[in-house]
Amino acid sequence: MALKPSIPKGTRDFSPAEVAKRNYIFTIIKTNFEKFGFQPIETPSFENSETLMGKYGDEGDRLIFKILNSGDYLAKADVSLMENKDSLKLTTQISEKALRYDLTVPFARYVVQHQNDIEFPFKRYQIQPVWRADRPQKGRFREFYQCDADVVGSNSLWQEIELVQLYDSVFSQLGLGGATIKINNRKILSGIAEVIGASDKLIDFTVALDKLDKIGADGVKKEMLEKGISETAIDKVQLLFNFSGTITEKIEKLAQLLADSEEGMRGVNELQFICDNVTTLGLQTAFLDLDVTLARGLNYYTGAIFEVTAPEGIAMGSIGGGGRYDDLTGIFGLKNMSGVGISFGLDRIAIVMEEVGLFPEAVLATSKALFLNFGDKEALYAMKAIVKLRQNGIKVELYPDNSKIDKQFKHADKRGIPFAVIVGESEMEREEFGLKNLATGEQQKVDFKTLVTLLQ
């Protein structure tokens, strides 16, 4: 008995209708990327393991899919490592490549590798799938697309301001009005860690703080204690767990808290500049908010940090995120190359738009009309018209088989095709076409010129 086919957990098949909806989102994001001056690049689906490992912190490294070496991958492996079941060291011997975890680190590798051919500042966008060995749940998959826009070669904070506007432009055009663009700054987090005497625990501190909305204040405190951050230090940041007010009020509170931290005050001043100018320029439908608990536990962010949440009332995690990384290319040998970028979570955006009903009916990639098949002679007459209609950019097709007409009508209905074109002997004699609106049942005889007009 044949096994029932299946796909790995955390992956999905997409129907024609779903692909059409995803392409609708892709098109809007791509159009906005190019409107803001970003250029497209592509990188391989897998990279050398050394390119990816160690760039995302311990948690990120555990989620990277490793690819076994070709052939007898155990032939050159250290026998003692296998006997001791030392999987971490053994992995480096049997796996030299890995599926990309995100698009940012491969982009940094690309910039370093092609630095002599790039005009800086370099604004690039990339829309490709990534893979993470995460636990699948609603809105979280093991294979998903990222849509990234990054600028490298500029320290200017005007780039951050433009990226906030880019988020606003995309979500407004998608109809997701009311999305919240959360902003923070890694220098502020460093300043807080300095003020409480836990600078050596910055990564542990930020990784735990980043989980506040998931595990709550008690969970964050517990994790900080487990990481060696003292109870006294945690008490000093108690106010961060209930940080409210306008952006201006929040910045004022941070300035007081971080008055003795040079690094922290640099972060405060950067946030002030970005938020003031975004407020002056205005946003279409999105909201900008300062969230001091926003940490995004990735090692490479050094300045502004972004995260976008869906409009109020929609239960979904972040639908976008990013930040500034001053030393990312440095890990590949190119120093002093600052960059900043954002990413759109396509899959989560699609889920939200489906739930709210934001996809236009015209999005479905279906034919505008189905020509019914009455036989080879009639089919040839129909095909001559089909060729000309397609040259006019109209999506039409011929039912391939000379089946019962009722079956052909049902096929058009199940496909969501709005019109049927009927070509029998009488239509051929008069050089006409019978056009039937399958939604209303209305039918009329038209010449070819009128057919083109009605189907456009």
Side-chain angles (χ1 to χ4, degrees), residues 308-337:
V308 185
T309 56
E312 192 174 348
I314 300 175
M316 179 60 69
S318 65
I319 55 176
R324 179 168 286 275
Y325 40 88
D326 284 338
D327 55 1
L328 187 61
T329 56
I331 58 180
F332 298 119
L334 182 60
K335 303 293 184 181
N336 303 316
M337 183 65 70

Side-chain angles (χ1 to χ4, degrees), residues 207-265:
V207 167
L209 192 62
D210 197 27
K211 298 176 181 177
L212 183 62
D213 61 336
K214 299 175 185 175
I215 61 178
D218 290 339
V220 170
K221 292 174 187 175
K222 180 182 177 184
E223 183 166 328
M224 286 182 176
L225 288 170
E226 290 173 350
K227 295 293 185 179
I229 299 171
S230 71
E231 187 96 44
T232 303
I234 295 172
D235 287 341
K236 289 181 180 179
V237 296
Q238 186 70 38
L239 66 93
L240 299 181
F241 299 147
N242 294 288
F243 205 61
S244 59
T246 65
I247 289 181
T248 301
E249 291 170 344
K250 289 177 180 178
I251 290 177
E252 288 174 355
K253 290 178 183 178
L254 286 174
Q256 294 173 10
L257 178 65
L258 300 173
D260 296 329
S261 170
E262 186 178 339
E263 177 78 352
M265 285 308 298

Side-chain angles (χ1 to χ4, degrees), residues 167 171 296 306-309 317-322 342-345 349:
Y167 265 140
F171 289 120
R296 297 187 67 83
F306 299 106
E307 187 167 278
V308 185
T309 56
S318 65
I319 55 176
I342 58 173
S343 180
F344 290 84
I349 292 171

